[in-house]
C-alpha cells in the first residue's frame, strides 16, 4: 500500500518498511522534500528533532515519534492517526486541524499549542501537559485523560 504525503512544497512517496531516525535519515528527508518521491509503511522518528519545521499536511499515520521534539513546528492539517507520540514535545506548535485520532500522547507536552479544530478522538492523553492549549472546536470525543501513567519512565 502506498502512502502519499502532501505538503506545500512536495509530494513524498515513502519506500521502505521502516525509515529509522538518525541524522542521515533527516538529511535524506530534507533532500527529498524538494523534488523526490519515497514510499513507506512505518516511519520511525523516535527522539527526532523536528522542532521549528513546517510539516503541514504530512501523514505520520502509525509513525513512531516517541520522545520526538516537535516544538514550535507548523503541524497544520498533519495526520498523526494511531501514531506513537509518548513523551513527545509539541510545545508552542500549531496543531490547527491536525488529526490525532487514536494517537498515543501519554506524557506529551502540548503546552501553549494552537489546536483549533484539531481531532483528538480516541487519543490517549493521560499525563499530557495541556496548559494554555487553545482548544476552540477541538474534538476530544473518546479521548483518555484519567488513569495512572508513569511519565518518569
Amino acid at each position: 500500500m502506498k502512502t502519499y504525503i502532501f505538503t506545500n512544497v512536495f509530494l513524498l512517496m515513502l519506500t521502505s518498511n521502516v525509515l529509522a531516525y538518525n541524522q542521515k535519515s533527516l538529511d535524506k528527508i530534507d533532500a527529498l522534500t524538494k523534488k523526490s518521491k519515497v514510499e513507506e509503511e512505518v516511519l520511525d522518528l523516535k527522539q527526532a528533532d523536528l522542532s521549528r519545521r513546517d510539516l503541514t499536511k504530512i501523514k505520520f499515520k502509525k509513525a513512531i515519534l516517541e520522545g520526538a521534539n516537535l516544538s514550535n513546528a507548523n503541524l497544520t492539517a498533519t495526520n498523526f492517526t494511531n501514531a506513537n507520540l509518548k513523551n513527545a514535545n509539541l510545545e508552542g506548535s500549531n496543531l490547527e486541524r491536525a488529526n490525532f485520532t487514536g494517537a498515543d500522547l501519554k506524557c506529551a507536552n502540548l503546552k501553549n499549542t494552537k489546536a483549533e479544530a484539531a481531532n483528538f478522538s480516541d487519543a490517549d492523553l493521560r499525563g499530557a501537559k495541556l496548559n494554555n492549549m487553545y482548544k476552540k472546536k477541538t474534538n476530544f470525543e473518546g479521548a483518555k485523560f484519567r488513569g495512572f501513567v508513569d511519565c518518569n519512565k
Side-chain angles (χ1 to χ4, degrees):
M1 175 192 214
K2 294 183 179 180
T3 301
Y4 296 95
I5 299 174
F6 298 94
T7 69
N8 296 349
V9 183
F10 67 95
L11 165 65
L12 265 182
M13 273 170 35
L14 297 163
T15 51
S16 64
N17 278 344
V18 176
L19 181 59
Y21 167 70
N22 59 38
Q23 192 56 48
K24 231 182 212 181
S25 295
L26 284 182
D27 291 343
K28 185 175 180 182
I29 290 170
D30 285 339
L32 292 168
T33 59
K34 296 190 173 64
K35 58 190 171 207
S36 296
K37 300 174 183 178
V38 182
E39 182 183 302
E40 82 160 301
E41 304 239 338
V42 176
L43 187 61
D44 187 343
L45 292 168
K46 198 180 287 184
Q47 304 292 322
D49 184 358
L50 301 171
S51 60
R52 301 187 184 280
R53 291 179 181 253
D54 183 357
L55 301 171
T56 302
K57 296 184 181 178
I58 290 201
K59 292 182 183 178
F60 285 114
K61 283 184 176 182
K62 299 181 184 177
I64 302 166
L65 291 154
E66 187 171 345
N69 182 1
L70 294 153
S71 62
N72 299 300
N74 185 0
L75 304 171
T76 302
T78 299
N79 190 336
F80 293 99
T81 301
N82 297 315
N84 177 351
L85 289 145
K86 288 181 208 167
N87 295 303
N89 182 9
L90 290 89
E91 186 168 3
S93 292
N94 183 355
L95 310 177
E96 192 173 348
R97 297 185 324 279
N99 185 358
F100 293 92
T101 302
D104 187 346
L105 288 149
K106 285 191 288 278
C107 305
N109 182 358
L110 297 159
K111 290 180 187 175
N112 304 310
T113 55
K114 181 181 178 187
E116 184 173 354
N119 184 0
F120 289 91
S121 61
D122 300 316
D124 191 341
L125 290 154
R126 292 176 293 158
K129 297 174 185 97
L130 306 173
N131 312 49
N132 297 319
M133 175 191 247
Y134 183 74
K135 302 181 277 281
K136 185 176 180 183
K137 298 181 184 175
T138 302
N139 181 2
F140 289 103
E141 187 176 333
K144 295 178 194 123
F145 293 98
R146 295 180 188 214
F148 177 75
V149 63
D150 185 0
C151 293
N152 295 316
K153 280 185 171 182

